[in-house]
Amino acid sequence: MMGPTLWGLDISSLLMLVSGIFYVICAIVVYRSYRTEKSELIGALLAFLVYQSVSMFFMGVEMLSHNMFYGNIAGFAVILGSAYMLKFPLSKFSAGIRNSVFFVVLIAAFGVIAWFMQSIELQKQLMTFVLWYDLVVNGVIAGGSIIVYGLKVRENTLRAKALTGGTGVLSCCMVANGFMLTGSMIIGSAVGFLAPLFILRSLRLGKKSAGN
């Protein structure tokens, strides 16, 4: 059953499409900072924005077209993005270990998607799995590690970036996904749309802290 509509289109679907475009714009802004400050933190926030932009846009396309192919693209983007996001919690380990975990998750992503492609019924269950996966891996593990890092670090600039940026990741991966899993698609889509604002705010706070 279709929810509230705007111009004859489902509002939650439109929010997902607009969010995808908004995330791309935010990713470009963060990428400019990443070029001058290639840190693990900024890299994780950039990875978050990139994979969410792809996921949200194609999730919106699937909701409007009812074509599961686009949902499969969205699901793969989330699982692939987690391979990059998990580099931050493992930043204390050697580059070899981090690269090994990255490739293991990458291979697992292909394996999971391939398994869900076995039948139409499995494909229908993919998005529910992806929302839970995003909540736990990218939200609890990756996003949580960013918050913990922000609480521990003493430098004001890094603390501001980590706590505010981590809040953005948690608001999308945990809060927004939580609403979607309970059927509140419009609220979940709206929360997801607002998440990048925390990340952009984290960059501004970092610059202000650096100037003090």
Side-chain angles (χ1 to χ4, degrees):
M1 183 177 179
M2 182 178 289
T5 61
L6 180 66
W7 303 314
L9 299 174
D10 181 61
I11 290 180
S12 57
S13 304
L14 287 175
L15 276 172
M16 297 300 288
L17 287 172
V18 173
S19 295
I21 296 171
F22 182 48
Y23 271 66
V24 170
I25 296 172
C26 293
I28 293 172
V29 174
V30 174
Y31 176 70
R32 290 176 178 173
S33 295
Y34 183 68
R35 291 177 63 184
T36 58
E37 182 190 345
K38 292 188 176 181
S39 67
E40 296 282 352
L41 175 60
I42 301 300
L45 297 177
L46 177 60
F48 165 77
L49 291 170
V50 171
Y51 89 76
Q52 283 289 356
S53 68
V54 177
S55 176
M56 288 188 175
F57 183 83
F58 282 102
M59 193 184 299
V61 173
E62 183 208 24
M63 293 165 67
L64 289 173
S65 66
H66 303 289
N67 187 332
M68 287 187 292
F69 171 75
Y70 300 111
N72 297 337
I73 296 176
F76 181 74
V78 171
I79 299 175
L80 178 62
S82 69
Y84 288 92
M85 290 290 289
L86 286 173
K87 285 188 173 184
F88 186 81
L90 300 173
S91 58
K92 291 185 178 180
F93 294 92
S94 66
I97 292 177
R98 281 181 289 156
N99 289 333
S100 296
V101 172
F102 172 79
F103 284 112
V104 167
V105 175
L106 193 62
I107 293 171
F110 283 104
V112 168
I113 295 298
W115 186 80
F116 275 102
M117 295 302 104
Q118 293 181 86
S119 68
I120 297 297
E121 290 303 315
L122 285 175
Q123 289 184 54
K124 291 179 180 179
Q125 299 173 31
L126 174 62
M127 194 48 61
T128 298
F129 167 80
V130 165
L131 288 174
W132 277 110
Y133 180 91
D134 193 33
L135 189 154
V136 174
V137 178
N138 296 325
V140 176
I141 298 177
S145 69
I146 294 175
I147 294 293
V148 171
Y149 171 77
L151 293 173
K152 290 183 177 180
V153 71
R154 293 184 177 182
E155 187 180 340
N156 290 335
T157 301
L158 292 177
R159 183 185 298 115
K161 288 181 179 179
L163 291 179
T164 313
T167 299
V169 174
L170 293 181
S171 66
C172 179
C173 296
M174 296 184 67
V175 180
N177 285 352
F179 277 116
M180 290 182 185
L181 286 166
T182 57
S184 303
M185 290 299 297
I186 293 180
I187 299 176
S189 301
V191 173
F193 174 80
L194 296 173
L197 296 179
F198 287 99
I199 295 176
L200 296 182
R201 177 65 175 167
S202 73
L203 298 181
R204 292 180 63 86
L205 287 174
K207 290 179 180 179
K208 288 182 180 179
S209 297
N212 293 334

